Coordinates of all heavy atoms in Angstrom, one line a residue:
M6 N 80.4 40.8 -17.9 CA 79.3 40.0 -17.8 C 79.5 38.9 -18.9 O 79.9 39.2 -20.0 CB 78.0 40.7 -18.1 CG 77.7 41.8 -17.1 SD 76.2 42.7 -17.6 CE 74.9 41.5 -17.3
L7 N 79.3 37.6 -18.5 CA 79.4 36.5 -19.4 C 78.1 36.1 -20.0 O 77.1 36.0 -19.2 CB 80.1 35.4 -18.8 CG 81.6 35.6 -18.3 CD1 82.1 34.4 -17.5 CD2 82.4 35.9 -19.5
F8 N 78.0 35.7 -21.2 CA 76.8 35.2 -21.9 C 77.2 34.0 -22.7 O 78.1 34.0 -23.5 CB 76.2 36.3 -22.8 CG 75.7 37.5 -22.1 CD1 76.6 38.6 -21.8 CD2 74.4 37.6 -21.6 CE1 76.1 39.7 -21.2 CE2 74.0 38.7 -20.9 CZ 74.8 39.8 -20.7
H9 N 76.3 33.0 -22.6 CA 76.3 31.8 -23.5 C 75.4 32.2 -24.6 O 74.2 32.5 -24.4 CB 75.8 30.6 -22.7 CG 75.6 29.4 -23.5 ND1 74.4 29.2 -24.2 CD2 76.3 28.3 -23.7 CE1 74.4 28.1 -24.8 NE2 75.6 27.5 -24.5
V10 N 75.9 32.1 -25.8 CA 75.1 32.4 -27.0 C 75.2 31.3 -28.0 O 76.2 30.8 -28.4 CB 75.7 33.7 -27.6 CG1 74.8 34.1 -28.9 CG2 75.7 34.9 -26.7
R11 N 74.0 30.8 -28.4 CA 73.9 29.8 -29.5 C 73.4 30.6 -30.7 O 72.4 31.3 -30.7 CB 73.0 28.7 -29.2 CG 72.9 27.7 -30.4 CD 71.9 26.6 -30.1 NE 71.8 25.8 -31.4 CZ 72.1 24.6 -31.5 NH1 72.6 23.9 -30.5 NH2 71.9 24.0 -32.7
M12 N 74.1 30.4 -31.8 CA 73.7 31.0 -33.1 C 73.5 29.9 -34.2 O 74.4 29.1 -34.4 CB 74.8 32.0 -33.6 CG 74.9 33.2 -32.7 SD 76.2 34.3 -33.3 CE 77.4 34.1 -32.0
D13 N 72.3 29.9 -34.7 CA 72.0 29.0 -35.8 C 71.8 29.8 -37.1 O 71.0 30.8 -37.1 CB 70.7 28.2 -35.5 CG 70.7 27.4 -34.2 OD1 71.7 26.6 -34.1 OD2 69.9 27.6 -33.3
V14 N 72.6 29.4 -38.1 CA 72.6 30.1 -39.4 C 71.6 29.5 -40.4 O 71.5 28.3 -40.5 CB 74.0 30.1 -40.0 CG1 74.1 30.9 -41.3 CG2 75.0 30.6 -39.0
H15 N 70.8 30.4 -41.0 CA 69.8 30.0 -42.0 C 70.0 30.9 -43.2 O 69.1 31.7 -43.5 CB 68.4 30.2 -41.4 CG 68.2 29.6 -40.0 ND1 68.0 28.2 -39.9 CD2 68.2 30.1 -38.8 CE1 67.9 28.0 -38.6 NE2 68.0 29.1 -37.9
L16 N 71.0 30.6 -44.0 CA 71.2 31.3 -45.3 C 70.2 30.7 -46.3 O 70.0 29.5 -46.4 CB 72.6 31.1 -45.8 CG 73.7 31.8 -45.0 CD1 75.1 31.4 -45.5 CD2 73.5 33.3 -45.2
P17 N 69.5 31.6 -47.1 CA 68.6 31.1 -48.1 C 69.3 30.3 -49.1 O 70.4 30.6 -49.6 CB 68.0 32.3 -48.7 CG 68.4 33.5 -47.8 CD 69.6 33.0 -47.0
P18 N 68.8 29.1 -49.5 CA 69.4 28.3 -50.5 C 69.7 29.0 -51.8 O 70.6 28.7 -52.6 CB 68.5 27.1 -50.7 CG 67.4 27.3 -49.7 CD 67.5 28.6 -49.1
D19 N 68.8 30.0 -52.2 CA 69.0 30.6 -53.5 C 69.8 32.0 -53.4 O 69.8 32.8 -54.3 CB 67.6 30.9 -54.1 CG 66.7 31.8 -53.1 OD1 67.1 32.0 -51.9 OD2 65.7 32.3 -53.6
L20 N 70.5 32.1 -52.2 CA 71.3 33.3 -52.1 C 72.4 33.3 -53.1 O 73.1 32.3 -53.3 CB 71.9 33.4 -50.7 CG 72.7 34.7 -50.3 CD1 71.7 35.9 -50.3 CD2 73.3 34.5 -48.9
D21 N 72.6 34.4 -53.8 CA 73.6 34.6 -54.8 C 75.0 34.2 -54.2 O 75.4 34.6 -53.1 CB 73.7 36.1 -55.2 CG 74.8 36.3 -56.3 OD1 76.0 36.4 -55.9 OD2 74.4 36.3 -57.5
P22 N 75.7 33.3 -54.8 CA 77.0 32.8 -54.3 C 78.0 33.9 -54.0 O 78.7 33.8 -53.0 CB 77.5 31.9 -55.4 CG 76.3 31.5 -56.2 CD 75.4 32.6 -56.1
E23 N 78.0 35.0 -54.7 CA 79.0 36.1 -54.5 C 78.5 36.8 -53.2 O 79.4 37.2 -52.4 CB 79.0 37.0 -55.7 CG 79.8 36.4 -56.8 CD 79.9 37.4 -58.0 OE1 79.7 38.6 -57.8 OE2 80.1 36.9 -59.1
V24 N 77.2 37.0 -53.0 CA 76.7 37.7 -51.8 C 77.0 36.8 -50.6 O 77.5 37.3 -49.6 CB 75.2 37.9 -51.9 CG1 74.6 38.4 -50.6 CG2 74.9 38.9 -53.0
R25 N 76.8 35.5 -50.8 CA 77.1 34.6 -49.6 C 78.6 34.6 -49.2 O 78.9 34.7 -48.1 CB 76.7 33.1 -50.1 CG 77.1 32.1 -49.0 CD 76.9 30.7 -49.5 NE 77.4 29.7 -48.6 CZ 76.7 29.0 -47.8 NH1 75.4 29.1 -47.8 NH2 77.2 28.1 -46.9
A26 N 79.5 34.6 -50.3 CA 80.9 34.6 -50.0 C 81.3 35.9 -49.3 O 82.1 35.9 -48.4 CB 81.7 34.4 -51.3
D27 N 80.7 37.0 -49.7 CA 81.0 38.3 -49.1 C 80.5 38.4 -47.7 O 81.3 38.8 -46.8 CB 80.4 39.4 -49.9 CG 80.5 40.8 -49.3 OD1 81.7 41.2 -49.2 OD2 79.5 41.4 -48.9
V28 N 79.3 37.9 -47.4 CA 78.8 38.0 -46.1 C 79.6 37.1 -45.1 O 80.0 37.5 -44.0 CB 77.3 37.6 -46.0 CG1 76.8 37.4 -44.6 CG2 76.4 38.6 -46.7
V29 N 80.0 35.9 -45.6 CA 80.7 35.0 -44.8 C 82.1 35.5 -44.5 O 82.6 35.4 -43.4 CB 80.8 33.5 -45.5 CG1 81.8 32.6 -44.7 CG2 79.4 32.9 -45.4
A30 N 82.7 36.1 -45.5 CA 84.1 36.7 -45.3 C 84.0 37.9 -44.3 O 84.9 38.0 -43.4 CB 84.7 37.2 -46.6
R31 N 83.0 38.7 -44.4 CA 82.9 39.8 -43.4 C 82.6 39.4 -42.0 O 83.1 39.9 -41.1 CB 81.8 40.8 -43.9 CG 82.2 41.6 -45.2 CD 81.3 42.7 -45.5 NE 80.0 42.2 -46.0 CZ 78.8 42.4 -45.4 NH1 78.8 43.1 -44.3 NH2 77.7 41.9 -45.8
E32 N 81.8 38.3 -42.0 CA 81.5 37.7 -40.6 C 82.7 37.1 -40.0 O 83.0 37.4 -38.8 CB 80.5 36.5 -40.9 CG 80.1 35.8 -39.6 CD 79.0 36.5 -38.8 OE1 78.4 37.5 -39.3 OE2 78.7 36.1 -37.7
K33 N 83.6 36.5 -40.8 CA 84.8 35.9 -40.2 C 85.7 37.1 -39.7 O 86.2 37.0 -38.6 CB 85.5 35.1 -41.3 CG 86.8 34.5 -40.8 CD 87.5 33.6 -41.8 CE 88.7 32.9 -41.3 NZ 89.3 32.0 -42.3
A34 N 85.9 38.1 -40.5 CA 86.7 39.2 -40.1 C 86.2 39.9 -38.8 O 87.0 40.2 -37.9 CB 86.9 40.2 -41.2
Y35 N 84.9 40.1 -38.8 CA 84.3 40.8 -37.6 C 84.4 39.9 -36.3 O 84.8 40.4 -35.3 CB 82.8 41.1 -37.9 CG 82.1 41.8 -36.8 CD1 82.4 43.1 -36.4 CD2 81.0 41.2 -36.2 CE1 81.7 43.7 -35.4 CE2 80.3 41.9 -35.2 CZ 80.7 43.1 -34.8 OH 79.9 43.8 -33.8
S36 N 84.1 38.6 -36.5 CA 84.2 37.7 -35.3 C 85.6 37.6 -34.8 O 85.9 37.5 -33.6 CB 83.6 36.3 -35.7 OG 84.4 35.6 -36.5
Q37 N 86.6 37.6 -35.7 CA 88.0 37.5 -35.3 C 88.4 38.7 -34.6 O 89.2 38.7 -33.7 CB 88.9 37.1 -36.5 CG 88.7 35.6 -36.9 CD 89.6 35.2 -38.1 OE1 90.2 36.0 -38.8 NE2 89.6 33.9 -38.3
Q38 N 88.0 39.9 -35.1 CA 88.2 41.2 -34.4 C 87.7 41.1 -33.0 O 88.5 41.5 -32.0 CB 87.6 42.3 -35.2 CG 87.7 43.6 -34.5 CD 86.8 44.7 -35.1 OE1 86.4 44.6 -36.2 NE2 86.4 45.7 -34.3
L39 N 86.5 40.7 -32.8 CA 85.9 40.6 -31.4 C 86.7 39.6 -30.5 O 86.8 39.8 -29.4 CB 84.4 40.2 -31.5 CG 83.5 41.3 -32.2 CD1 82.1 40.8 -32.3 CD2 83.6 42.6 -31.4
Q40 N 87.1 38.5 -31.2 CA 87.9 37.5 -30.4 C 89.2 38.1 -29.9 O 89.6 38.0 -28.8 CB 88.2 36.3 -31.2 CG 86.9 35.5 -31.5 CD 87.1 34.4 -32.5 OE1 87.9 33.4 -32.2 NE2 86.5 34.5 -33.6
R41 N 89.9 38.8 -30.8 CA 91.2 39.5 -30.5 C 91.0 40.5 -29.4 O 91.9 40.7 -28.6 CB 91.8 40.1 -31.7 CG 92.4 39.1 -32.7 CD 93.1 39.7 -33.8 NE 93.4 38.8 -34.8 CZ 92.7 38.5 -35.9 NH1 91.6 39.3 -36.2 NH2 93.0 37.6 -36.8
E42 N 89.8 41.2 -29.4 CA 89.6 42.2 -28.4 C 89.1 41.6 -27.0 O 89.0 42.3 -26.0 CB 88.5 43.2 -28.9 CG 88.8 44.0 -30.1 CD 87.6 44.8 -30.6 OE1 86.5 44.6 -30.1 OE2 87.9 45.5 -31.6
G43 N 89.0 40.3 -27.0 CA 88.6 39.6 -25.7 C 87.1 39.6 -25.5 O 86.7 39.1 -24.5
K44 N 86.3 40.2 -26.4 CA 84.8 40.2 -26.2 C 84.2 38.9 -26.5 O 83.1 38.6 -26.1 CB 84.2 41.3 -27.1 CG 84.9 42.7 -26.9 CD 83.9 43.6 -26.3 CE 84.5 45.0 -26.1 NZ 84.2 45.5 -24.8
W45 N 84.8 38.1 -27.4 CA 84.3 36.8 -27.8 C 85.4 35.7 -27.5 O 86.0 35.2 -28.4 CB 84.0 36.9 -29.3 CG 83.1 35.8 -29.9 CD1 82.9 34.5 -29.4 CD2 82.4 35.9 -31.1 NE1 82.1 33.8 -30.2 CE2 81.8 34.7 -31.3 CE3 82.2 36.9 -32.0 CZ2 80.9 34.4 -32.4 CZ3 81.5 36.7 -33.1 CH2 80.8 35.4 -33.3
P46 N 85.6 35.4 -26.2 CA 86.7 34.5 -25.8 C 86.5 33.0 -26.2 O 87.5 32.3 -26.2 CB 86.8 34.7 -24.3 CG 85.4 35.2 -23.9 CD 84.9 35.9 -25.0
H47 N 85.3 32.6 -26.4 CA 85.1 31.2 -26.8 C 84.1 31.1 -27.9 O 83.1 31.7 -28.0 CB 84.5 30.4 -25.6 CG 85.4 30.4 -24.4 ND1 86.6 29.6 -24.3 CD2 85.4 31.2 -23.3 CE1 87.2 29.9 -23.2 NE2 86.5 30.8 -22.5
L48 N 84.5 30.2 -28.9 CA 83.7 30.0 -30.1 C 83.9 28.5 -30.5 O 84.9 28.1 -30.8 CB 84.2 30.9 -31.3 CG 83.6 30.7 -32.6 CD1 82.1 30.9 -32.6 CD2 84.2 31.7 -33.6
W49 N 82.7 27.8 -30.5 CA 82.8 26.4 -30.9 C 81.7 26.1 -32.0 O 80.6 26.6 -31.9 CB 82.5 25.4 -29.7 CG 83.5 25.5 -28.6 CD1 84.7 24.9 -28.6 CD2 83.4 26.3 -27.4 NE1 85.3 25.2 -27.4 CE2 84.6 26.0 -26.7 CE3 82.4 27.1 -26.9 CZ2 84.8 26.6 -25.4 CZ3 82.7 27.7 -25.7 CH2 83.9 27.5 -25.0
R50 N 82.0 25.2 -32.9 CA 81.1 24.7 -33.9 C 80.2 23.7 -33.3 O 80.8 22.8 -32.5 CB 81.8 24.2 -35.1 CG 80.9 23.6 -36.1 CD 81.7 23.3 -37.3 NE 82.3 24.5 -37.8 CZ 82.2 25.0 -39.0 NH1 81.5 24.4 -39.9 NH2 82.7 26.2 -39.3
V51 N 79.0 23.6 -33.6 CA 78.1 22.5 -33.2 C 78.2 21.4 -34.3 O 77.9 21.7 -35.5 CB 76.6 23.0 -33.0 CG1 75.7 21.8 -32.7 CG2 76.5 24.1 -32.0
V52 N 78.6 20.2 -34.0 CA 78.9 19.2 -34.9 C 77.6 18.9 -35.7 O 76.5 18.7 -35.1 CB 79.4 17.9 -34.2 CG1 79.6 16.8 -35.2 CG2 80.7 18.2 -33.5
G53 N 77.8 18.8 -37.0 CA 76.6 18.4 -37.9 C 75.6 19.5 -38.2 O 74.6 19.3 -38.8
E54 N 75.9 20.7 -37.7 CA 74.9 21.8 -37.9 C 75.7 23.1 -38.3 O 76.9 23.2 -38.1 CB 74.2 22.2 -36.6 CG 73.4 21.0 -36.0 CD 72.7 21.3 -34.7 OE1 72.4 22.5 -34.5 OE2 72.5 20.5 -33.9
Y55 N 75.0 24.0 -39.0 CA 75.5 25.3 -39.3 C 75.2 26.2 -38.1 O 74.3 27.1 -38.2 CB 75.0 25.8 -40.6 CG 75.8 27.0 -41.2 CD1 75.4 27.5 -42.5 CD2 76.9 27.6 -40.6 CE1 76.1 28.6 -43.0 CE2 77.6 28.6 -41.1 CZ 77.2 29.1 -42.3 OH 77.9 30.2 -42.9
S56 N 75.9 26.0 -37.0 CA 75.6 26.6 -35.7 C 76.8 26.8 -34.9 O 77.8 26.0 -35.2 CB 74.6 25.8 -34.9 OG 73.4 25.6 -35.6
N57 N 76.8 27.6 -33.9 CA 77.9 27.7 -33.0 C 77.4 28.0 -31.6 O 76.3 28.5 -31.4 CB 79.0 28.8 -33.5 CG 78.5 30.2 -33.3 OD1 78.4 30.7 -32.1 ND2 78.2 30.9 -34.3
I58 N 78.3 27.7 -30.7 CA 78.1 28.0 -29.3 C 79.2 28.9 -28.9 O 80.4 28.6 -29.2 CB 78.1 26.7 -28.3 CG1 77.0 25.7 -28.7 CG2 78.1 27.1 -26.9 CD1 75.6 26.2 -28.4
S59 N 78.9 30.0 -28.3 CA 79.9 31.0 -28.0 C 79.8 31.5 -26.6 O 78.7 31.4 -26.0 CB 79.8 32.2 -29.0 OG 80.0 31.8 -30.3
V60 N 80.8 32.1 -26.0 CA 80.8 32.8 -24.8 C 81.3 34.2 -25.1 O 82.4 34.4 -25.7 CB 81.6 32.2 -23.7 CG1 81.7 33.1 -22.4 CG2 81.1 30.8 -23.3
F61 N 80.5 35.2 -24.7 CA 80.9 36.6 -24.9 C 81.1 37.2 -23.5 O 80.5 36.8 -22.5 CB 79.7 37.4 -25.5 CG 79.6 37.2 -27.0 CD1 79.0 36.1 -27.5 CD2 80.1 38.1 -27.9 CE1 78.9 35.9 -28.9 CE2 80.1 37.9 -29.3 CZ 79.4 36.8 -29.7
D62 N 82.1 38.0 -23.4 CA 82.5 38.7 -22.2 C 82.4 40.2 -22.4 O 83.3 40.8 -23.0 CB 83.9 38.3 -21.8 CG 84.3 38.9 -20.4 OD1 83.5 39.6 -19.8 OD2 85.4 38.5 -20.0
V63 N 81.3 40.8 -22.0 CA 81.0 42.2 -22.4 C 80.5 43.0 -21.1 O 80.2 42.4 -20.1 CB 79.9 42.3 -23.5 CG1 80.4 41.8 -24.8 CG2 78.6 41.6 -23.1
E64 N 80.4 44.2 -21.2 CA 80.0 45.1 -20.1 C 78.5 45.1 -19.8 O 78.2 45.4 -18.6 CB 80.5 46.5 -20.3 CG 82.0 46.7 -20.3 CD 82.7 46.3 -19.1 OE1 82.2 46.6 -18.0 OE2 83.7 45.6 -19.1
S65 N 77.7 44.8 -20.8 CA 76.2 45.0 -20.5 C 75.4 44.2 -21.5 O 75.9 43.8 -22.6 CB 75.8 46.5 -20.6 OG 76.0 47.0 -21.9
N66 N 74.1 44.1 -21.3 CA 73.2 43.6 -22.2 C 73.2 44.3 -23.5 O 73.1 43.8 -24.6 CB 71.8 43.5 -21.7 CG 71.6 42.6 -20.5 OD1 72.4 41.7 -20.3 ND2 70.6 42.9 -19.7
D67 N 73.2 45.7 -23.4 CA 73.2 46.5 -24.5 C 74.5 46.3 -25.4 O 74.3 46.3 -26.6 CB 73.1 48.0 -24.1 CG 71.8 48.3 -23.5 OD1 70.8 47.7 -23.9 OD2 71.7 49.3 -22.7
E68 N 75.6 46.2 -24.8 CA 76.8 45.9 -25.6 C 76.7 44.6 -26.4 O 77.0 44.5 -27.6 CB 78.1 45.9 -24.7 CG 79.3 45.7 -25.6 CD 80.6 45.7 -24.7 OE1 80.6 45.6 -23.5 OE2 81.7 45.7 -25.4
L69 N 76.2 43.6 -25.7 CA 76.1 42.3 -26.3 C 75.1 42.4 -27.5 O 75.4 42.0 -28.6 CB 75.5 41.2 -25.4 CG 75.3 39.9 -26.0 CD1 76.6 39.3 -26.6 CD2 74.6 38.9 -25.1
H70 N 74.0 43.1 -27.3 CA 73.0 43.3 -28.4 C 73.7 44.1 -29.6 O 73.5 43.7 -30.8 CB 71.8 44.1 -27.9 CG 70.8 44.3 -29.0 ND1 70.0 43.3 -29.5 CD2 70.5 45.4 -29.8 CE1 69.2 43.7 -30.4 NE2 69.5 45.0 -30.7
E71 N 74.5 45.1 -29.3 CA 75.2 45.8 -30.3 C 76.1 45.0 -31.1 O 76.1 45.0 -32.3 CB 75.9 47.0 -29.7 CG 76.6 47.9 -30.7 CD 77.4 49.0 -30.1 OE1 76.9 49.5 -29.0 OE2 78.4 49.4 -30.6
L72 N 76.9 44.1 -30.4 CA 77.8 43.3 -31.1 C 77.1 42.2 -31.9 O 77.5 42.0 -33.1 CB 78.7 42.6 -30.1 CG 79.7 43.4 -29.3 CD1 80.5 42.6 -28.3 CD2 80.6 44.3 -30.1
L73 N 76.1 41.6 -31.4 CA 75.4 40.6 -32.1 C 74.6 41.2 -33.4 O 74.7 40.6 -34.5 CB 74.4 39.9 -31.3 CG 75.0 39.0 -30.1 CD1 73.9 38.4 -29.3 CD2 75.9 37.9 -30.7
S74 N 74.0 42.3 -33.2 CA 73.3 42.9 -34.3 C 74.2 43.4 -35.4 O 73.8 43.7 -36.5 CB 72.3 44.0 -33.8 OG 73.0 45.0 -33.2
G75 N 75.5 43.6 -35.0 CA 76.5 44.0 -36.0 C 77.1 42.9 -36.8 O 77.9 43.1 -37.7
L76 N 76.8 41.7 -36.5 CA 77.3 40.5 -37.2 C 76.7 40.6 -38.7 O 75.5 40.7 -38.8 CB 76.8 39.2 -36.6 CG 77.5 38.9 -35.3 CD1 76.7 37.7 -34.6 CD2 79.0 38.5 -35.5
P77 N 77.5 40.5 -39.7 CA 77.0 40.4 -41.0 C 76.0 39.4 -41.3 O 75.1 39.5 -42.1 CB 78.3 40.2 -41.9 CG 79.4 40.9 -41.1 CD 79.0 40.5 -39.6
L78 N 76.1 38.2 -40.6 CA 75.1 37.2 -40.7 C 73.8 37.4 -39.9 O 72.9 36.6 -40.0 CB 75.7 35.8 -40.3 CG 76.6 35.1 -41.4 CD1 77.3 33.9 -40.8 CD2 75.9 34.8 -42.6
F79 N 73.8 38.5 -39.1 CA 72.6 38.7 -38.2 C 71.2 38.5 -38.9 O 70.4 37.9 -38.3 CB 72.7 40.1 -37.6 CG 71.7 40.4 -36.6 CD1 71.8 39.9 -35.3 CD2 70.6 41.2 -36.9 CE1 70.8 40.1 -34.4 CE2 69.6 41.5 -35.9 CZ 69.7 40.9 -34.6
P80 N 71.0 39.0 -40.1 CA 69.7 38.8 -40.7 C 69.3 37.3 -40.9 O 68.2 37.0 -41.1 CB 69.7 39.5 -42.0 CG 70.9 40.4 -41.9 CD 71.9 39.8 -40.9
Y81 N 70.3 36.4 -40.9 CA 70.1 35.0 -41.2 C 70.3 34.2 -39.9 O 70.4 32.9 -40.0 CB 71.1 34.5 -42.2 CG 71.2 35.4 -43.4 CD1 72.3 36.3 -43.6 CD2 70.2 35.4 -44.4 CE1 72.3 37.1 -44.7 CE2 70.2 36.2 -45.5 CZ 71.3 37.1 -45.7 OH 71.3 37.9 -46.8
L82 N 70.3 34.8 -38.7 CA 70.6 34.0 -37.5 C 69.4 33.9 -36.6 O 68.6 34.8 -36.5 CB 71.7 34.7 -36.7 CG 73.1 34.8 -37.3 CD1 74.0 35.7 -36.3 CD2 73.7 33.5 -37.5
T83 N 69.3 32.7 -36.0 CA 68.4 32.6 -34.8 C 69.4 32.5 -33.6 O 70.3 31.7 -33.6 CB 67.6 31.2 -34.9 OG1 66.8 31.3 -36.0 CG2 66.8 31.1 -33.7
I84 N 69.2 33.4 -32.7 CA 70.2 33.6 -31.6 C 69.4 33.4 -30.3 O 68.3 33.9 -30.0 CB 70.8 35.0 -31.6 CG1 71.5 35.3 -32.9 CG2 71.7 35.2 -30.4 CD1 72.0 36.7 -33.1
R85 N 70.1 32.6 -29.4 CA 69.6 32.3 -28.0 C 70.7 32.7 -27.1 O 71.8 32.2 -27.2 CB 69.2 30.9 -27.9 CG 67.8 30.6 -28.6 CD 67.6 29.1 -28.5 NE 68.5 28.5 -29.5 CZ 68.3 27.4 -30.1 NH1 67.2 26.7 -29.9 NH2 69.1 26.9 -31.0
V86 N 70.3 33.6 -26.1 CA 71.3 34.2 -25.2 C 70.9 33.7 -23.8 O 69.7 33.8 -23.4 CB 71.3 35.7 -25.3 CG1 72.2 36.3 -24.2 CG2 71.7 36.2 -26.7
T87 N 71.9 33.3 -23.1 CA 71.7 32.9 -21.7 C 72.8 33.6 -20.8 O 74.0 33.4 -21.0 CB 71.9 31.3 -21.5 OG1 71.0 30.7 -22.3 CG2 71.7 31.0 -20.0
P88 N 72.4 34.5 -19.9 CA 73.4 35.1 -19.0 C 74.0 34.1 -18.1 O 73.3 33.1 -17.7 CB 72.5 36.1 -18.2 CG 71.2 36.3 -18.9 CD 71.0 35.0 -19.7
L89 N 75.2 34.3 -17.8 CA 76.0 33.3 -16.9 C 76.4 34.0 -15.6 O 76.7 35.2 -15.6 CB 77.2 32.8 -17.7 CG 76.9 32.1 -19.0 CD1 78.2 31.7 -19.7 CD2 76.1 30.8 -18.7
A90 N 76.5 33.2 -14.5 CA 76.9 33.7 -13.2 C 77.9 32.6 -12.7 O 77.9 31.5 -13.1 CB 75.8 33.8 -12.3
T91 N 78.8 33.1 -11.9 CA 79.8 32.2 -11.3 C 79.1 31.1 -10.4 O 78.3 31.4 -9.6 CB 80.8 33.0 -10.4 OG1 81.4 34.0 -11.2 CG2 81.9 32.1 -9.8
H92 N 79.6 29.9 -10.6 CA 79.0 28.8 -9.9 C 79.8 28.7 -8.5 O 81.0 28.8 -8.5 CB 79.2 27.4 -10.7 CG 78.3 26.3 -10.1 ND1 78.7 25.7 -9.0 CD2 77.2 25.8 -10.5 CE1 77.8 24.8 -8.7 NE2 76.8 24.8 -9.7
P93 N 79.1 28.4 -7.4 CA 79.8 28.4 -6.1 C 80.8 27.2 -6.0 O 81.6 27.3 -5.1 CB 78.6 28.3 -5.1 CG 77.5 27.8 -5.9 CD 77.6 28.3 -7.3
S94 N 80.6 26.2 -6.8 CA 81.6 25.1 -6.7 C 82.8 25.2 -7.7 O 83.6 24.3 -7.8 CB 80.8 23.8 -7.0 OG 79.9 23.5 -6.0
K95 N 82.9 26.3 -8.4 CA 83.9 26.5 -9.4 C 85.3 26.6 -8.7 O 85.4 27.3 -7.7 CB 83.7 27.7 -10.2 CG 84.8 27.9 -11.3 CD 84.7 29.2 -12.0 CE 85.8 29.5 -13.0 NZ 87.1 29.5 -12.5
V96 N 86.3 25.8 -9.1 CA 87.6 26.0 -8.6 C 88.2 27.3 -9.1 O 88.0 27.7 -10.3 CB 88.5 24.8 -9.2 CG1 89.9 25.0 -8.8 CG2 88.0 23.4 -8.7
P97 N 88.8 28.0 -8.2 CA 89.4 29.3 -8.6 C 90.4 29.2 -9.7 O 91.1 28.2 -9.8 CB 90.0 29.9 -7.3 CG 89.4 29.1 -6.2 CD 89.0 27.8 -6.8
D98 N 90.5 30.2 -10.6 CA 91.5 30.2 -11.7 C 92.8 30.4 -11.0 O 93.0 31.0 -10.0 CB 91.2 31.4 -12.6 CG 90.0 31.2 -13.4 OD1 89.6 30.1 -13.7 OD2 89.4 32.3 -13.8
P99 N 93.8 29.7 -11.6 CA 95.2 29.8 -11.1 C 95.7 31.2 -11.3 O 95.3 31.9 -12.2 CB 96.0 28.8 -11.9 CG 95.2 28.6 -13.1 CD 93.8 28.8 -12.8
P100 N 96.6 31.7 -10.4 CA 97.2 33.0 -10.5 C 97.9 33.1 -11.8 O 98.5 32.1 -12.3 CB 98.1 33.2 -9.3 CG 98.2 31.9 -8.7 CD 97.1 31.0 -9.3
R101 N 98.0 34.3 -12.4 CA 98.7 34.5 -13.7 C 100.0 35.2 -13.4 O 100.3 35.9 -12.6 CB 97.9 35.4 -14.6 CG 96.6 34.6 -15.0 CD 95.8 35.4 -16.0 NE 94.6 34.7 -16.3 CZ 94.0 34.6 -17.4 NH1 94.4 35.3 -18.4 NH2 92.9 33.9 -17.6

């Protein structure tokens, strides 16, 4: 199942710099692990914002919720999820 996910980050301005650095480093490691596993195949920054647009490829709504709630930045995120379906006008992917 594919999901379009927008994440907006809202770190408190008074967050201890060491805590911030730790959370951001753990977020990067976790997100890269999910990318390597193929669960997070697309990740784009939104220009001019502390936000991203992502596509997740997971087995279920529950799996997506588990992955998102496992993000170290989760307490600081506003997340919007849109389930995706194949468009009838999509050109087929080339054979591999």
Side-chain angles (χ1 to χ4, degrees):
M6 299 176 72
L7 295 177
F8 294 90
H9 169 277
V10 179
R11 179 180 172 121
M12 292 180 248
D13 300 305
V14 183
H15 309 284
L16 289 171
D19 60 345
L20 186 63
D21 179 280
E23 289 182 19
V24 172
R25 178 189 171 104
D27 176 65
V28 170
V29 169
R31 289 187 295 116
E32 180 82 8
K33 182 176 182 177
Y35 181 63
S36 70
Q37 288 181 346
Q38 172 193 337
L39 294 175
Q40 290 171 66
R41 286 185 192 97
E42 293 172 0
K44 304 246 180 226
W45 195 337
H47 300 282
L48 171 61
W49 296 278
R50 176 171 300 236
V51 177
V52 175
E54 299 180 28
Y55 195 177
S56 303
N57 74 70
I58 300 290
S59 297
V60 173
F61 283 80
D62 187 357
V63 294
E64 294 297 319
S65 66
N66 295 337
D67 291 332
E68 182 183 10
L69 179 63
H70 181 76
E71 181 181 327
L72 296 179
L73 294 176
S74 62
L76 291 166
L78 283 173
F79 184 76
Y81 310 105
L82 296 174
T83 300
I84 300 173
R85 285 172 285 206
V86 175
T87 305
L89 301 173
T91 303
H92 194 284
S94 297
K95 180 188 180 302
V96 175
D98 292 331
R101 296 182 183 215

